[in-house]
Amino acid sequence: MKIYLDLIFLLNFGFDFLLLMTVKLLLRRNVKLTDLLSGAFIGATSIFFLFIKMNSLTLFLFKIVISILMIIVTFGFRNIRYTARNFLYLYSTSMILGGVLYYLNTEFSYQQEGLVFYHNGLSINVIVLVLTSPIIVYSYIKQGLYLKNNYGNYHEVVLYYHGKKQRMNGFLDTGNHLVDPYQKRPILLVDRKRLIYDINEFQMILVPIDTAGGHSLLPCIKIDKIWIQKFGYRTKFLLGLMDEEIHIDGVDCILSEQIMEESI
């Protein structure tokens, strides 16, 4: 039997790229095309290791390691929760695609009477279908509602300053009404540790704000402009520097409705 490794490689590369792209779109991850291609390449090259004799457990663990590596190369590592969610969606998507392929296989390879498939006896897939269908439906509905209620406020953003640009994931917080009291510029909150710019290059602007603990001063900086997905470029705004991490999955900065309404 002839095995065309180049064809197998290309097929796996295509499927892995499709899976990673699906995760990017579902979770609105702001990653470049080259990152997607790199992750798909790692997944495709793993096919050559499958010709090495392994037992079932070793093969399963090997696939898990490759999947985690694909996720980290494509989306980076921020924390365990961020990586675990990317991993979960990768496997969920692969199971959906695998289910479609399996359906096509059984459709053309098995004899069918209603929902019962025969191939040298009763197929166990009917039992698996009955047991797993409620779980799949529940997970699909739960994740669908989660996406609708949360990820609709995610936006890709790009910061520009002195010819240097930085990609970030922004979250529209309708409760963020922070504005500069002097020039009425909306304030975007950003984790200062995420910025690639040298903070010492900026003239710090201290903006008085009200917090749960009372009054305080928020250090802010002014950059050239920002690009927001579906809204375009904005120049009238400030970046508010936060010392603590933003505890929203995969988010680097907090947007406001005011900046969405402003034009360049």
Side-chain angles (χ1 to χ4, degrees):
M1 180 179 65
K2 293 183 179 180
I3 299 178
Y4 298 94
L5 293 180
D6 53 345
L7 180 59
I8 295 176
F9 176 85
L10 290 176
L11 287 174
N12 278 274
F13 180 86
F15 277 114
D16 290 334
F17 179 83
L18 181 60
L19 291 173
L20 293 171
M21 176 61 74
T22 304
V23 175
K24 166 186 161 56
L25 295 176
L26 285 175
L27 298 183
R28 289 176 168 83
R29 301 306 193 201
N30 188 6
V31 296
K32 297 180 291 186
L33 176 62
T34 52
D35 296 327
L36 293 169
L37 293 174
S38 298
F41 180 82
I42 290 176
T45 53
S46 66
I47 195 67
F48 299 111
F49 293 93
L50 299 182
F51 292 95
I52 301 175
K53 189 175 182 180
M54 301 181 187
N55 57 44
S56 299
L57 177 60
T58 304
L59 181 60
F60 173 77
L61 295 176
F62 175 78
K63 291 181 178 179
I64 294 294
V65 172
I66 291 297
S67 299
I68 294 175
L69 186 59
M70 287 172 58
I71 286 295
I72 294 177
V73 169
T74 305
F75 303 104
F77 180 85
R78 299 188 180 190
N79 51 56
I80 295 179
R81 179 182 177 184
Y82 175 83
T83 303
R85 186 171 293 278
N86 292 333
F87 179 83
L88 174 63
Y89 271 78
L90 177 69
Y91 258 76
S92 298
T93 306
S94 65
M95 285 189 289
I96 293 173
L97 292 179
V100 173
L101 294 176
Y102 181 79
Y103 169 78
L104 294 176
N105 177 62
T106 55
E107 185 72 11
F108 291 100
S109 301
Y110 287 71
Q111 296 180 359
Q112 178 182 357
E113 291 184 12
L115 292 177
V116 181
F117 296 84
Y118 292 92
H119 183 72
N120 293 328
L122 179 63
S123 173
I124 196 173
N125 294 302
V126 177
I127 301 176
V128 175
L129 178 64
V130 172
L131 294 177
T132 59
S133 289
I135 300 175
I136 295 173
V137 171
Y138 172 80
S139 299
Y140 180 81
I141 294 175
K142 181 178 179 181
Q143 293 301 322
L145 291 175
Y146 185 86
L147 287 173
K148 180 179 179 181
N149 295 331
N150 293 277
Y151 287 93
N153 290 327
Y154 278 66
H155 299 274
E156 295 183 13
V157 301
V158 182
L159 307 180
Y160 293 86
Y161 180 71
H162 287 186
K164 296 171 63 177
K165 66 179 182 178
Q166 179 179 2
R167 294 177 177 271
M168 284 190 166
N169 290 322
F171 182 82
L172 174 58
D173 182 6
T174 56
N176 177 17
H177 301 295
L178 294 176
V179 294
D180 169 16
Y182 314 111
Q183 301 184 29
K184 303 303 179 182
R185 293 170 292 188
I187 298 176
L188 280 62
L189 299 176
V190 61
D191 182 353
R192 68 164 69 209
K193 296 186 292 296
R194 295 288 184 190
L195 290 175
I196 62 174
Y197 310 119
D198 184 1
I199 302 299
N200 298 321
E201 296 181 1
F202 295 87
Q203 180 180 1
M204 202 65 64
I205 303 172
L206 298 179
V207 177
I209 61 172
D210 293 325
T211 65
H215 302 287
S216 63
L217 295 175
L218 176 67
C220 299
I221 60 175
K222 180 73 174 71
I223 63 174
D224 298 332
K225 60 183 177 180
I226 185 176
W227 176 85
I228 305 175
Q229 179 188 23
K230 297 181 180 180
F231 291 89
Y233 292 95
R234 299 290 187 270
T235 57
K236 187 180 178 182
F237 68 95
L238 293 176
L239 285 183
L241 305 180
M242 300 175 59
D243 292 318
E244 64 272 15
E245 181 182 354
I246 298 175
H247 296 289
I248 303 177
D249 182 40
V251 171
D252 305 303
C253 64
I254 303 296
L255 305 173
S256 68
E257 287 185 321
Q258 290 90 334
I259 197 173
M260 300 301 196
E261 298 169 356
E262 294 288 338
S263 61
I264 188 170

PDB file of all heavy atoms in Angstrom, residues 221-248:
ATOM      1  N   ILE A 221      -1.448  58.542  29.709  1.00  0.00           N
ATOM      2  CA  ILE A 221      -0.520  58.993  28.683  1.00  0.00           C
ATOM      3  C   ILE A 221      -1.292  59.246  27.399  1.00  0.00           C
ATOM      4  O   ILE A 221      -2.411  58.766  27.226  1.00  0.00           O
ATOM      5  CB  ILE A 221       0.615  57.977  28.431  1.00  0.00           C
ATOM      6  CG1 ILE A 221       0.024  56.629  27.972  1.00  0.00           C
ATOM      7  CG2 ILE A 221       1.486  57.812  29.654  1.00  0.00           C
ATOM      8  CD1 ILE A 221       1.078  55.598  27.585  1.00  0.00           C
ATOM      9  N   LYS A 222      -0.687  60.006  26.503  1.00  0.00           N
ATOM     10  CA  LYS A 222      -1.294  60.309  25.202  1.00  0.00           C
ATOM     11  C   LYS A 222      -0.440  59.684  24.116  1.00  0.00           C
ATOM     12  O   LYS A 222       0.760  59.923  24.035  1.00  0.00           O
ATOM     13  CB  LYS A 222      -1.369  61.827  24.995  1.00  0.00           C
ATOM     14  CG  LYS A 222      -1.982  62.235  23.655  1.00  0.00           C
ATOM     15  CD  LYS A 222      -3.475  61.988  23.656  1.00  0.00           C
ATOM     16  CE  LYS A 222      -4.127  62.528  22.374  1.00  0.00           C
ATOM     17  NZ  LYS A 222      -3.792  61.731  21.173  1.00  0.00           N
ATOM     18  N   ILE A 223      -1.058  58.835  23.271  1.00  0.00           N
ATOM     19  CA  ILE A 223      -0.362  58.267  22.121  1.00  0.00           C
ATOM     20  C   ILE A 223      -0.956  58.865  20.847  1.00  0.00           C
ATOM     21  O   ILE A 223      -1.915  59.643  20.900  1.00  0.00           O
ATOM     22  CB  ILE A 223      -0.448  56.727  22.102  1.00  0.00           C
ATOM     23  CG1 ILE A 223      -1.901  56.262  21.948  1.00  0.00           C
ATOM     24  CG2 ILE A 223       0.178  56.144  23.357  1.00  0.00           C
ATOM     25  CD1 ILE A 223      -2.032  54.756  21.770  1.00  0.00           C
ATOM     26  N   ASP A 224      -0.400  58.514  19.703  1.00  0.00           N
ATOM     27  CA  ASP A 224      -0.804  59.158  18.447  1.00  0.00           C
ATOM     28  C   ASP A 224      -2.238  58.843  18.070  1.00  0.00           C
ATOM     29  O   ASP A 224      -3.042  59.729  17.829  1.00  0.00           O
ATOM     30  CB  ASP A 224       0.149  58.727  17.316  1.00  0.00           C
ATOM     31  CG  ASP A 224       1.580  59.170  17.586  1.00  0.00           C
ATOM     32  OD1 ASP A 224       1.748  60.183  18.285  1.00  0.00           O
ATOM     33  OD2 ASP A 224       2.512  58.487  17.107  1.00  0.00           O
ATOM     34  N   LYS A 225      -2.577  57.554  18.018  1.00  0.00           N
ATOM     35  CA  LYS A 225      -3.923  57.169  17.609  1.00  0.00           C
ATOM     36  C   LYS A 225      -4.164  55.708  17.942  1.00  0.00           C
ATOM     37  O   LYS A 225      -3.242  54.972  18.324  1.00  0.00           O
ATOM     38  CB  LYS A 225      -4.140  57.404  16.110  1.00  0.00           C
ATOM     39  CG  LYS A 225      -3.197  56.622  15.207  1.00  0.00           C
ATOM     40  CD  LYS A 225      -3.425  56.959  13.734  1.00  0.00           C
ATOM     41  CE  LYS A 225      -2.433  56.228  12.839  1.00  0.00           C
ATOM     42  NZ  LYS A 225      -2.646  56.541  11.396  1.00  0.00           N
ATOM     43  N   ILE A 226      -5.412  55.291  17.785  1.00  0.00           N
ATOM     44  CA  ILE A 226      -5.800  53.905  18.009  1.00  0.00           C
ATOM     45  C   ILE A 226      -6.769  53.492  16.912  1.00  0.00           C
ATOM     46  O   ILE A 226      -7.577  54.307  16.452  1.00  0.00           O
ATOM     47  CB  ILE A 226      -6.452  53.717  19.402  1.00  0.00           C
ATOM     48  CG1 ILE A 226      -6.735  52.235  19.681  1.00  0.00           C
ATOM     49  CG2 ILE A 226      -7.728  54.528  19.505  1.00  0.00           C
ATOM     50  CD1 ILE A 226      -7.276  51.986  21.084  1.00  0.00           C
ATOM     51  N   TRP A 227      -6.637  52.249  16.462  1.00  0.00           N
ATOM     52  CA  TRP A 227      -7.588  51.680  15.504  1.00  0.00           C
ATOM     53  C   TRP A 227      -8.434  50.651  16.229  1.00  0.00           C
ATOM     54  O   TRP A 227      -7.924  49.774  16.925  1.00  0.00           O
ATOM     55  CB  TRP A 227      -6.868  51.011  14.336  1.00  0.00           C
ATOM     56  CG  TRP A 227      -7.794  50.330  13.375  1.00  0.00           C
ATOM     57  CD1 TRP A 227      -8.455  50.888  12.332  1.00  0.00           C
ATOM     58  CD2 TRP A 227      -8.168  48.942  13.377  1.00  0.00           C
ATOM     59  NE1 TRP A 227      -9.211  49.955  11.668  1.00  0.00           N
ATOM     60  CE2 TRP A 227      -9.071  48.749  12.289  1.00  0.00           C
ATOM     61  CE3 TRP A 227      -7.838  47.853  14.178  1.00  0.00           C
ATOM     62  CZ2 TRP A 227      -9.625  47.504  12.014  1.00  0.00           C
ATOM     63  CZ3 TRP A 227      -8.408  46.622  13.900  1.00  0.00           C
ATOM     64  CH2 TRP A 227      -9.283  46.455  12.822  1.00  0.00           C
ATOM     65  N   ILE A 228      -9.761  50.763  16.090  1.00  0.00           N
ATOM     66  CA  ILE A 228     -10.694  49.851  16.748  1.00  0.00           C
ATOM     67  C   ILE A 228     -11.500  49.128  15.686  1.00  0.00           C
ATOM     68  O   ILE A 228     -12.053  49.757  14.776  1.00  0.00           O
ATOM     69  CB  ILE A 228     -11.645  50.608  17.698  1.00  0.00           C
ATOM     70  CG1 ILE A 228     -10.840  51.437  18.695  1.00  0.00           C
ATOM     71  CG2 ILE A 228     -12.561  49.633  18.431  1.00  0.00           C
ATOM     72  CD1 ILE A 228     -11.703  52.318  19.584  1.00  0.00           C
ATOM     73  N   GLN A 229     -11.554  47.822  15.800  1.00  0.00           N
ATOM     74  CA  GLN A 229     -12.284  46.999  14.834  1.00  0.00           C
ATOM     75  C   GLN A 229     -13.722  47.491  14.669  1.00  0.00           C
ATOM     76  O   GLN A 229     -14.435  47.734  15.640  1.00  0.00           O
ATOM     77  CB  GLN A 229     -12.276  45.542  15.306  1.00  0.00           C
ATOM     78  CG  GLN A 229     -13.018  44.573  14.414  1.00  0.00           C
ATOM     79  CD  GLN A 229     -13.136  43.202  15.042  1.00  0.00           C
ATOM     80  OE1 GLN A 229     -13.057  43.059  16.255  1.00  0.00           O
ATOM     81  NE2 GLN A 229     -13.325  42.187  14.232  1.00  0.00           N
ATOM     82  N   LYS A 230     -14.134  47.682  13.422  1.00  0.00           N
ATOM     83  CA  LYS A 230     -15.474  48.117  13.027  1.00  0.00           C
ATOM     84  C   LYS A 230     -15.747  49.598  13.296  1.00  0.00           C
ATOM     85  O   LYS A 230     -16.799  50.118  12.918  1.00  0.00           O
ATOM     86  CB  LYS A 230     -16.563  47.279  13.713  1.00  0.00           C
ATOM     87  CG  LYS A 230     -16.547  45.808  13.358  1.00  0.00           C
ATOM     88  CD  LYS A 230     -17.676  45.075  14.061  1.00  0.00           C
ATOM     89  CE  LYS A 230     -17.655  43.588  13.712  1.00  0.00           C
ATOM     90  NZ  LYS A 230     -18.742  42.851  14.386  1.00  0.00           N
ATOM     91  N   PHE A 231     -14.810  50.295  13.973  1.00  0.00           N
ATOM     92  CA  PHE A 231     -15.026  51.701  14.286  1.00  0.00           C
ATOM     93  C   PHE A 231     -13.962  52.614  13.680  1.00  0.00           C
ATOM     94  O   PHE A 231     -14.172  53.820  13.593  1.00  0.00           O
ATOM     95  CB  PHE A 231     -15.085  51.911  15.808  1.00  0.00           C
ATOM     96  CG  PHE A 231     -16.299  51.316  16.446  1.00  0.00           C
ATOM     97  CD1 PHE A 231     -16.280  50.004  16.900  1.00  0.00           C
ATOM     98  CD2 PHE A 231     -17.474  52.031  16.589  1.00  0.00           C
ATOM     99  CE1 PHE A 231     -17.398  49.432  17.490  1.00  0.00           C
ATOM    100  CE2 PHE A 231     -18.595  51.483  17.165  1.00  0.00           C
ATOM    101  CZ  PHE A 231     -18.563  50.172  17.621  1.00  0.00           C
ATOM    102  N   GLY A 232     -12.830  52.037  13.287  1.00  0.00           N
ATOM    103  CA  GLY A 232     -11.809  52.845  12.634  1.00  0.00           C
ATOM    104  C   GLY A 232     -10.845  53.516  13.609  1.00  0.00           C
ATOM    105  O   GLY A 232     -10.655  53.063  14.738  1.00  0.00           O
ATOM    106  N   TYR A 233     -10.269  54.629  13.166  1.00  0.00           N
ATOM    107  CA  TYR A 233      -9.227  55.314  13.931  1.00  0.00           C
ATOM    108  C   TYR A 233      -9.825  56.371  14.870  1.00  0.00           C
ATOM    109  O   TYR A 233     -10.826  57.014  14.562  1.00  0.00           O
ATOM    110  CB  TYR A 233      -8.234  55.982  12.980  1.00  0.00           C
ATOM    111  CG  TYR A 233      -7.396  55.005  12.192  1.00  0.00           C
ATOM    112  CD1 TYR A 233      -7.776  54.623  10.900  1.00  0.00           C
ATOM    113  CD2 TYR A 233      -6.234  54.450  12.730  1.00  0.00           C
ATOM    114  CE1 TYR A 233      -7.015  53.718  10.173  1.00  0.00           C
ATOM    115  CE2 TYR A 233      -5.475  53.546  12.006  1.00  0.00           C
ATOM    116  CZ  TYR A 233      -5.867  53.186  10.732  1.00  0.00           C
ATOM    117  OH  TYR A 233      -5.120  52.290  10.009  1.00  0.00           O
ATOM    118  N   ARG A 234      -9.152  56.537  16.001  1.00  0.00           N
ATOM    119  CA  ARG A 234      -9.506  57.565  16.972  1.00  0.00           C
ATOM    120  C   ARG A 234      -8.216  58.235  17.454  1.00  0.00           C
ATOM    121  O   ARG A 234      -7.171  57.588  17.595  1.00  0.00           O
ATOM    122  CB  ARG A 234     -10.238  56.961  18.170  1.00  0.00           C
ATOM    123  CG  ARG A 234     -11.556  56.269  17.829  1.00  0.00           C
ATOM    124  CD  ARG A 234     -12.614  57.282  17.411  1.00  0.00           C
ATOM    125  NE  ARG A 234     -13.920  56.655  17.239  1.00  0.00           N
ATOM    126  CZ  ARG A 234     -14.376  56.144  16.105  1.00  0.00           C
ATOM    127  NH1 ARG A 234     -13.598  56.156  15.022  1.00  0.00           N
ATOM    128  NH2 ARG A 234     -15.581  55.627  16.034  1.00  0.00           N
ATOM    129  N   THR A 235      -8.287  59.546  17.705  1.00  0.00           N
ATOM    130  CA  THR A 235      -7.119  60.287  18.192  1.00  0.00           C
ATOM    131  C   THR A 235      -7.402  61.025  19.501  1.00  0.00           C
ATOM    132  O   THR A 235      -6.479  61.359  20.235  1.00  0.00           O
ATOM    133  CB  THR A 235      -6.653  61.310  17.141  1.00  0.00           C
ATOM    134  OG1 THR A 235      -7.734  62.190  16.818  1.00  0.00           O
ATOM    135  CG2 THR A 235      -6.176  60.608  15.875  1.00  0.00           C
ATOM    136  N   LYS A 236      -8.663  61.296  19.779  1.00  0.00           N
ATOM    137  CA  LYS A 236      -9.028  62.066  20.967  1.00  0.00           C
ATOM    138  C   LYS A 236      -9.318  61.109  22.125  1.00  0.00           C
ATOM    139  O   LYS A 236     -10.455  60.693  22.355  1.00  0.00           O
ATOM    140  CB  LYS A 236     -10.244  62.938  20.686  1.00  0.00           C
ATOM    141  CG  LYS A 236     -10.589  63.895  21.833  1.00  0.00           C
ATOM    142  CD  LYS A 236     -11.810  64.738  21.503  1.00  0.00           C
ATOM    143  CE  LYS A 236     -12.156  65.648  22.670  1.00  0.00           C
ATOM    144  NZ  LYS A 236     -13.373  66.461  22.391  1.00  0.00           N
ATOM    145  N   PHE A 237      -8.280  60.751  22.870  1.00  0.00           N
ATOM    146  CA  PHE A 237      -8.430  59.830  23.991  1.00  0.00           C
ATOM    147  C   PHE A 237      -7.139  59.821  24.806  1.00  0.00           C
ATOM    148  O   PHE A 237      -6.106  60.343  24.373  1.00  0.00           O
ATOM    149  CB  PHE A 237      -8.738  58.413  23.499  1.00  0.00           C
ATOM    150  CG  PHE A 237      -7.585  57.771  22.775  1.00  0.00           C
ATOM    151  CD1 PHE A 237      -6.706  56.936  23.445  1.00  0.00           C
ATOM    152  CD2 PHE A 237      -7.370  58.022  21.419  1.00  0.00           C
ATOM    153  CE1 PHE A 237      -5.639  56.351  22.786  1.00  0.00           C
ATOM    154  CE2 PHE A 237      -6.312  57.451  20.752  1.00  0.00           C
ATOM    155  CZ  PHE A 237      -5.446  56.613  21.427  1.00  0.00           C
ATOM    156  N   LEU A 238      -7.202  59.207  25.970  1.00  0.00           N
ATOM    157  CA  LEU A 238      -6.031  58.980  26.809  1.00  0.00           C
ATOM    158  C   LEU A 238      -5.974  57.503  27.179  1.00  0.00           C
ATOM    159  O   LEU A 238      -6.995  56.825  27.222  1.00  0.00           O
ATOM    160  CB  LEU A 238      -6.098  59.823  28.087  1.00  0.00           C
ATOM    161  CG  LEU A 238      -6.007  61.345  27.951  1.00  0.00           C
ATOM    162  CD1 LEU A 238      -6.189  62.007  29.319  1.00  0.00           C
ATOM    163  CD2 LEU A 238      -4.687  61.766  27.330  1.00  0.00           C
ATOM    164  N   LEU A 239      -4.767  57.031  27.453  1.00  0.00           N
ATOM    165  CA  LEU A 239      -4.585  55.679  27.976  1.00  0.00           C
ATOM    166  C   LEU A 239      -4.357  55.764  29.477  1.00  0.00           C
ATOM    167  O   LEU A 239      -3.381  56.365  29.938  1.00  0.00           O
ATOM    168  CB  LEU A 239      -3.379  54.991  27.318  1.00  0.00           C
ATOM    169  CG  LEU A 239      -3.522  54.485  25.885  1.00  0.00           C
ATOM    170  CD1 LEU A 239      -2.234  53.773  25.466  1.00  0.00           C
ATOM    171  CD2 LEU A 239      -4.707  53.547  25.745  1.00  0.00           C
ATOM    172  N   GLY A 240      -5.282  55.171  30.227  1.00  0.00           N
ATOM    173  CA  GLY A 240      -5.121  55.114  31.676  1.00  0.00           C
ATOM    174  C   GLY A 240      -4.327  53.883  32.062  1.00  0.00           C
ATOM    175  O   GLY A 240      -4.686  52.759  31.691  1.00  0.00           O
ATOM    176  N   LEU A 241      -3.241  54.069  32.802  1.00  0.00           N
ATOM    177  CA  LEU A 241      -2.328  52.973  33.130  1.00  0.00           C
ATOM    178  C   LEU A 241      -2.743  52.286  34.421  1.00  0.00           C
ATOM    179  O   LEU A 241      -2.828  52.909  35.479  1.00  0.00           O
ATOM    180  CB  LEU A 241      -0.900  53.516  33.252  1.00  0.00           C
ATOM    181  CG  LEU A 241      -0.373  54.294  32.043  1.00  0.00           C
ATOM    182  CD1 LEU A 241       1.047  54.783  32.290  1.00  0.00           C
ATOM    183  CD2 LEU A 241      -0.442  53.443  30.786  1.00  0.00           C
ATOM    184  N   MET A 242      -3.005  50.983  34.327  1.00  0.00           N
ATOM    185  CA  MET A 242      -3.391  50.185  35.487  1.00  0.00           C
ATOM    186  C   MET A 242      -2.208  49.322  35.936  1.00  0.00           C
ATOM    187  O   MET A 242      -1.486  48.769  35.110  1.00  0.00           O
ATOM    188  CB  MET A 242      -4.578  49.289  35.144  1.00  0.00           C
ATOM    189  CG  MET A 242      -5.824  50.030  34.706  1.00  0.00           C
ATOM    190  SD  MET A 242      -7.139  48.878  34.189  1.00  0.00           S
ATOM    191  CE  MET A 242      -7.360  47.907  35.695  1.00  0.00           C
ATOM    192  N   ASP A 243      -2.026  49.240  37.248  1.00  0.00           N
ATOM    193  CA  ASP A 243      -0.966  48.386  37.786  1.00  0.00           C
ATOM    194  C   ASP A 243      -1.432  46.939  37.929  1.00  0.00           C
ATOM    195  O   ASP A 243      -0.629  46.012  37.833  1.00  0.00           O
ATOM    196  CB  ASP A 243      -0.495  48.913  39.141  1.00  0.00           C
ATOM    197  CG  ASP A 243       0.224  50.252  39.013  1.00  0.00           C
ATOM    198  OD1 ASP A 243       1.017  50.400  38.062  1.00  0.00           O
ATOM    199  OD2 ASP A 243      -0.029  51.140  39.844  1.00  0.00           O
ATOM    200  N   GLU A 244      -2.727  46.741  38.145  1.00  0.00           N
ATOM    201  CA  GLU A 244      -3.245  45.392  38.323  1.00  0.00           C
ATOM    202  C   GLU A 244      -3.662  44.801  36.986  1.00  0.00           C
ATOM    203  O   GLU A 244      -3.961  45.528  36.031  1.00  0.00           O
ATOM    204  CB  GLU A 244      -4.427  45.374  39.294  1.00  0.00           C
ATOM    205  CG  GLU A 244      -5.644  46.141  38.827  1.00  0.00           C
ATOM    206  CD  GLU A 244      -5.594  47.605  39.232  1.00  0.00           C
ATOM    207  OE1 GLU A 244      -4.507  48.080  39.627  1.00  0.00           O
ATOM    208  OE2 GLU A 244      -6.634  48.274  39.151  1.00  0.00           O
ATOM    209  N   GLU A 245      -3.690  43.479  36.928  1.00  0.00           N
ATOM    210  CA  GLU A 245      -4.073  42.771  35.714  1.00  0.00           C
ATOM    211  C   GLU A 245      -5.567  42.903  35.471  1.00  0.00           C
ATOM    212  O   GLU A 245      -6.368  42.949  36.404  1.00  0.00           O
ATOM    213  CB  GLU A 245      -3.694  41.296  35.841  1.00  0.00           C
ATOM    214  CG  GLU A 245      -4.030  40.446  34.627  1.00  0.00           C
ATOM    215  CD  GLU A 245      -3.682  38.983  34.829  1.00  0.00           C
ATOM    216  OE1 GLU A 245      -3.084  38.666  35.872  1.00  0.00           O
ATOM    217  OE2 GLU A 245      -4.025  38.161  33.956  1.00  0.00           O
ATOM    218  N   ILE A 246      -5.950  43.004  34.194  1.00  0.00           N
ATOM    219  CA  ILE A 246      -7.355  43.048  33.830  1.00  0.00           C
ATOM    220  C   ILE A 246      -7.913  41.623  33.889  1.00  0.00           C
ATOM    221  O   ILE A 246      -7.468  40.750  33.150  1.00  0.00           O
ATOM    222  CB  ILE A 246      -7.550  43.647  32.426  1.00  0.00           C
ATOM    223  CG1 ILE A 246      -7.043  45.098  32.392  1.00  0.00           C
ATOM    224  CG2 ILE A 246      -9.018  43.596  32.010  1.00  0.00           C
ATOM    225  CD1 ILE A 246      -7.094  45.727  31.018  1.00  0.00           C
ATOM    226  N   HIS A 247      -8.887  41.395  34.756  1.00  0.00           N
ATOM    227  CA  HIS A 247      -9.390  40.038  34.978  1.00  0.00           C
ATOM    228  C   HIS A 247     -10.573  39.726  34.065  1.00  0.00           C
ATOM    229  O   HIS A 247     -11.659  39.345  34.519  1.00  0.00           O
ATOM    230  CB  HIS A 247      -9.771  39.844  36.444  1.00  0.00           C
ATOM    231  CG  HIS A 247      -8.603  39.963  37.372  1.00  0.00           C
ATOM    232  ND1 HIS A 247      -7.610  39.014  37.454  1.00  0.00           N
ATOM    233  CD2 HIS A 247      -8.254  40.944  38.255  1.00  0.00           C
ATOM    234  CE1 HIS A 247      -6.715  39.380  38.352  1.00  0.00           C
ATOM    235  NE2 HIS A 247      -7.070  40.551  38.844  1.00  0.00           N
ATOM    236  N   ILE A 248     -10.382  39.913  32.777  1.00  0.00           N
ATOM    237  CA  ILE A 248     -11.350  39.513  31.764  1.00  0.00           C
ATOM    238  C   ILE A 248     -10.596  38.670  30.760  1.00  0.00           C
ATOM    239  O   ILE A 248      -9.528  39.074  30.282  1.00  0.00           O
ATOM    240  CB  ILE A 248     -12.004  40.725  31.070  1.00  0.00           C
ATOM    241  CG1 ILE A 248     -12.674  41.644  32.104  1.00  0.00           C
ATOM    242  CG2 ILE A 248     -13.041  40.272  30.047  1.00  0.00           C
ATOM    243  CD1 ILE A 248     -13.275  42.897  31.503  1.00  0.00           C
TER     244      ILE A 248
END
